[in-house]
Amino acid sequence: MNQIKQIIQTFNVTRQHDPSVVPAVALGAGGALVLCLVLGFVLGPLLLWIPLALFAMIATALIILGRKAQSASLAAIEGQAGAAAAVLQSMRGAWEITPAVAFNRREDMIHLAVGPPGVVLVAEGTSPARVKQLMAKERRRFDRAAGEVPVTEVLVGDGEDQVELKKLAFHMAKLPRAIKPKEVGPLNRKLSALKASAPPMPKGPQMRRAPKKYR
């Protein structure tokens, strides 16, 4: 029952930000149902295809809802300070995320992500030039501490050589692997001395994770 309530809540919240979720879910689920029933008529026996059709309809609806919910969450936080940190913290897998290991009064921030690619410094801010200066300073610190583990820079934004917020999680997942998942924790602890006292993060909308059933 709790999962059903969570799905209904996710649907209602998503519909407020993106009304197209209603026709998208309806068309997708309906299309899956019709396709399975047509296959049942053609290949038979139809009675065996009916349960499969119902399962396909529900699964398709949940997949579409999950993707729409993620897009709505990104739209809600985009442009806010700390938005990149929210996306990083929503990632699945062997990642250790520390928001705002470096920051300034203009809300430029460097976030630390330790994972299979090694050390990844993710920067966000309103001025690319200012963010690059902050990144260069932090890169030197983490290069010394990381030793032979690679340190990768990622700048979040819409400009050249930057990664859009909506593509950040995908970009992180595609980075070349450098260390094993079991090495992530020890490396993160090794770098803990370099972590600054994080500023208070904004209380705006947070990145919401889709329920496990349709992630």
Side-chain angles (χ1 to χ4, degrees):
M1 289 298 295
N2 288 336
Q3 290 179 333
I4 294 176
K5 289 181 180 179
Q6 185 181 16
I7 291 171
I8 293 173
Q9 181 183 15
T10 300
F11 177 80
N12 290 333
V13 172
T14 304
R15 184 175 57 179
Q16 292 175 2
H17 293 280
D18 183 7
S20 69
V21 67
V22 178
V25 168
L27 288 173
L33 177 64
V34 170
L35 176 60
C36 288
L37 291 179
V38 169
L39 290 174
F41 277 114
V42 174
L43 303 177
L46 180 59
L47 286 177
L48 294 180
W49 280 85
I50 291 177
L52 179 61
L54 294 175
F55 174 80
M57 179 183 69
I58 295 172
T60 301
L62 293 178
I63 290 171
I64 294 173
L65 175 59
R67 292 178 177 175
K68 286 285 189 179
Q70 186 176 38
S71 298
S73 295
L74 284 170
I77 66 175
E78 192 165 11
Q80 295 188 22
V87 173
L88 294 173
Q89 290 174 318
S90 74
M91 293 191 308
R92 301 169 62 188
W95 288 97
E96 296 283 350
I97 308 299
T98 306
V101 293
F103 52 90
N104 58 33
R105 289 179 295 179
R106 298 191 179 183
E107 296 186 331
D108 302 319
M109 298 181 186
I110 307 290
H111 311 297
L112 171 64
V114 181
V119 179
V120 186
L121 298 176
V122 181
E124 62 175 321
T126 55
S127 168
R130 195 171 58 237
V131 169
K132 286 181 179 179
Q133 289 180 350
L134 186 61
M135 174 67 86
K137 179 182 176 181
E138 293 308 303
R139 174 67 186 261
R140 289 191 294 270
R141 290 202 311 141
F142 281 94
D143 268 335
R144 289 192 295 267
E148 297 182 358
V149 177
V151 178
T152 305
E153 299 179 12
V154 175
L155 273 64
V156 177
D158 299 324
E160 188 177 356
D161 298 326
Q162 294 181 329
V163 178
E164 295 179 44
L165 183 67
K166 64 182 179 182
K167 297 180 180 179
L168 178 57
F170 179 79
H171 179 84
M172 298 288 287
K174 291 298 181 181
L175 290 174
R177 276 17 185 181
I179 63 176
K180 298 177 180 178
K182 65 181 181 181
E183 298 175 295
V184 171
L187 176 59
N188 186 58
R189 290 191 291 273
K190 178 182 176 182
L191 300 176
S192 61
L194 301 180
K195 300 174 184 178
S197 298
M201 301 299 283
K203 295 183 179 180
Q206 297 298 309
M207 187 72 182
R208 300 172 65 93
R209 274 189 168 187
K212 290 183 179 179
K213 272 196 170 184
Y214 52 97
R215 279 213 297 260

